[in-house]
Amino acid sequence: MNVVLVGPPGAGKGTQAAALEEKTKLKHIASGELFRQHMRDETELGKLARTYVDRGELVPDDIVITMILERIFQPDCEHGVILDGFPRTKEQAAALERALEEHQQKIDAVIFLNAPRDVLLKRIVGRQTCRNCQTPYNIYYSPPREEGVCDLCGGDLYTRSDDNMETARHRLEVYLQQTAPLIEHYRALGLLHEVDGLGDIHEVTARLVRELGINGELPHQPRT
Ligand code: AP5
């Protein structure tokens, strides 16, 4: 089973993809997190990605497509994937569909997660992330027990370089121009499930699970 999560920055894609991964055997693949890992490791790809990520611009399609298609056919994705943040353009969507078809696979569902703009901005500027295990916190909605320290691993919390108000506003513009058109594409294919991203994190997870009809069970069979 392959699931795509699409939605504006701050909608909760990463949070919900992690929750779904826990409930299923699907592998959570986040394009933004792959870039941030390269940026932390200071690879050539990371240095290039930083010039786009820090401005809230999309990394060019050819780079993202190569990175993601290499990742999703690895053995740890044999039960399927939850794609978080990819595809984000029509070109990326077409490349994904072609590659899945070549592997006799398909997208099974596209979840469109959304929330009002003021909530999205508050979630983004309030986000803090663990430097060690990448667990997200939020100073407004889900603060850590001890300020600046991860509840789970004790790692330091940091603010992403693109999580300031100016860049967040620009990311929302970029989303509306380049990614939102994908929603109609997936609706036309009959794959779209709209899920309200507003409310308690666990409530939103329950909505997703209902929409996907997985009832906390999984797709246990490996992909063919
Ligand atoms: P990426 O990392 O994908 O960022 P994004 O899409 O802007 O999404 P966010 O991570 O901001 O939000 P989210 O929806 O995952 O929300 P989250 O669960 O974290 O991309 C970063 C950059 O990488 C891009 O700008 C681009 O440069 C590049 N890039 C990535 N993919 C690319 C691609 N395909 N093509 C080209 N370039 C690409 O939640 C946000 C906060 O809200 C957290 O603090 C969380 O704790 C909190 N929260 C979540 N849900 C709730 C809730 N229900 N109630 C209260 N708080 C909540």
Side-chain angles (χ1 to χ4, degrees):
M1 185 184 201
N2 296 307
V3 177
V4 168
L5 283 187
V6 67
K13 302 182 297 295
T15 303
Q16 296 303 331
L20 278 184
E21 185 181 52
E22 266 189 22
K23 291 179 182 297
T24 66
K25 291 192 171 181
L26 306 178
K27 187 77 187 165
H28 174 194
I29 306 289
S31 45
E33 183 46 36
L34 291 175
F35 284 131
R36 284 187 288 280
Q37 183 64 54
H38 277 283
M39 285 158 57
R40 286 193 289 276
D41 294 345
E42 298 189 347
T43 65
E44 287 308 311
L45 174 55
K47 287 178 198 161
L48 177 65
R50 184 180 289 287
T51 64
Y52 296 93
V53 173
D54 285 358
R55 286 184 290 127
E57 295 287 344
L58 294 186
V59 178
D61 283 334
D62 54 338
I63 297 173
V64 190
I65 289 168
T66 306
M67 178 180 77
I68 291 289
L69 297 188
E70 272 176 18
R71 183 66 190 87
I72 65 175
F73 298 112
Q74 297 293 318
D76 63 343
C77 298
E78 67 170 349
H79 294 286
V81 290
I82 307 159
L83 288 174
D84 155 16
F86 181 93
R88 249 167 152 109
T89 64
K90 286 182 177 169
E91 290 70 20
Q92 293 178 22
L96 175 65
E97 284 159 35
R98 269 196 310 274
L100 288 173
E101 209 176 301
E102 279 166 22
H103 287 76
Q104 288 80 50
Q105 293 177 38
K106 60 181 171 55
I107 296 170
D108 295 278
V110 176
I111 299 284
F112 169 36
L113 201 56
N114 206 358
R117 182 185 162 85
D118 57 332
V119 173
L120 297 173
L121 288 170
K122 193 168 172 185
R123 284 185 186 174
I124 294 170
V125 299
R127 171 172 31 206
Q128 293 187 327
T129 308
C130 176
R131 232 177 250 293
N132 182 43
C133 69
Q134 314 314 320
T135 298
Y137 293 86
N138 196 287
I139 57 169
Y140 303 114
Y141 300 107
S142 50
R145 283 194 293 271
E146 186 183 341
E147 198 182 318
V149 180
C150 178
D151 293 350
L152 300 183
C153 74
D156 285 344
L157 303 187
Y158 79 104
T159 298
R160 272 169 44 176
S161 55
D162 57 345
D163 277 351
N164 54 76
M165 190 55 92
E166 190 188 344
T167 311
R169 286 201 179 109
H170 185 60
R171 283 160 59 199
L172 282 171
E173 286 305 313
V174 169
Y175 163 79
L176 289 174
Q177 283 167 16
Q178 303 198 48
T179 306
L182 290 183
I183 291 161
E184 290 315 313
H185 168 71
Y186 287 127
R187 196 192 306 277
L189 293 177
L191 292 172
L192 199 74
H193 300 256
E194 293 193 46
V195 172
D196 183 2
L198 203 55
D200 176 76
I201 287 173
H202 300 291
E203 274 171 37
V204 179
T205 307
R207 287 177 204 145
L208 251 92
V209 164
R210 264 199 310 276
E211 275 298 317
L212 290 172
I214 54 177
N215 297 322
E217 295 162 13
L218 141 145
H220 282 289
Q221 314 83 337
R223 298 186 303 199
T224 50

